[in-house]
Amino acid sequence: MSKLASIISCLVIFLLMSPQSYAADLGGLVSSLKGGGYVIVFRHGATDDSQKDIYPFKFDDMSAQRQLSEKGRELARELGAALKKLGVPIGEVYTSRLNRAVETGKLIGGKDVSPVDELTDSSAGSASGMANPDGKNAKAGRAVRDLVNAPPKAGANNLAVTHKTNVTDAFGKEFADIREGEALVYKISNSGPAVLVTRVQPGEWIAQAGS
């Protein structure tokens, strides 16, 4: 019985300490981000599921695309305000050519964005289009990795706003669970590809800014 009590006690302590420990880790990352040299890959914000993409894509027709929901817009605004408050310098903001990514990028980055083909939904509007770095979308995945591996200007961090399929194409099936608004933070390397540092949910940036 005492052994069980000891296990439960350890578990309680772990659960109590984990958020604080993670907050400390994110705080350390934010300090590093202030010096630049990172690329932050975001999945676009929350969308209105009642809307559907029409393929071939019509980038200038908002009625033919799934758009951000009001919740998605508000969270992107809060995320942008959090990054600004945290003092994270933003360089280039690259996005998919679909409006939900363009809008997400503008709200987070607080500046004009550069829509590019590399980040545009590689599933071509198909829910079954999910791939991986060795699959049929390998070329699309390489294009995303090339963009992520490109060093930002000195003292800045680049943002890339894309779609779940593109993330999976580029980095593997283990990222197929990436949530809307979630970020993958990559550190640029002088000796090879950018290195994944961590995954961050939008609420975690916002909480860090408020701490």
Side-chain angles (χ1 to χ4, degrees):
M1 186 68 178
S2 60
K3 183 177 180 180
L4 177 60
S6 177
I7 292 173
I8 293 173
S9 177
C10 289
L11 179 60
V12 170
I13 292 172
F14 173 79
L15 291 174
L16 289 174
M17 291 183 64
S18 292
Q20 296 175 350
S21 175
Y22 185 78
D25 291 342
L26 184 55
L29 173 61
V30 168
S31 295
S32 297
L33 286 168
K34 290 179 180 179
Y38 291 78
V39 176
I40 308 175
V41 180
F42 287 95
R43 184 183 175 192
H44 61 74
T47 55
D48 183 346
D49 287 335
S50 69
Q51 301 170 331
K52 303 298 179 184
D53 291 326
I54 295 176
Y55 187 78
F57 293 131
K58 300 176 181 179
F59 301 115
D60 58 351
D61 184 354
M62 299 302 102
S63 67
Q65 302 176 39
R66 194 168 83 253
Q67 302 293 323
L68 290 183
S69 63
E70 284 307 315
K71 178 182 177 181
R73 292 186 182 95
E74 182 58 30
L75 193 60
R77 289 189 192 97
E78 292 180 5
L79 179 50
L83 291 177
K84 184 176 182 179
K85 183 177 179 180
L86 291 168
V88 176
I90 305 300
E92 300 296 327
V93 182
Y94 300 102
T95 75
S96 158
R97 294 177 65 194
L98 289 166
N99 191 64
R100 57 184 175 272
V102 171
E103 192 173 9
T104 299
K106 288 180 177 178
L107 292 171
I108 293 176
K111 59 172 65 180
D112 288 336
V113 303
S114 299
V116 296
D117 290 337
E118 294 93 321
L119 298 175
T120 302
D121 191 356
S122 57
S123 69
S126 170
S128 62
M130 194 66 67
N132 60 66
D134 301 315
K136 64 180 180 180
N137 285 6
K139 183 177 179 180
R142 285 194 299 271
V144 174
R145 292 196 299 276
D146 287 345
L147 190 149
V148 171
N149 290 333
K153 292 180 180 179
N157 308 284
N158 287 347
L159 306 185
V161 184
T162 189
H163 307 267
K164 177 168 65 174
T165 308
N166 300 66
V167 170
T168 307
D169 290 339
F171 307 117
K173 289 183 177 180
E174 61 267 34
F175 296 99
D177 63 346
I178 187 169
R179 300 177 184 177
E180 291 175 318
E182 183 177 348
L184 308 181
V185 182
Y186 285 86
K187 172 66 174 173
I188 295 299
S189 172
N190 294 325
S191 58
V195 177
L196 177 65
V197 177
T198 191
R199 300 172 66 163
V200 187
Q201 298 299 328
E204 291 166 343
W205 296 109
I206 295 166
Q208 184 68 30
S211 62

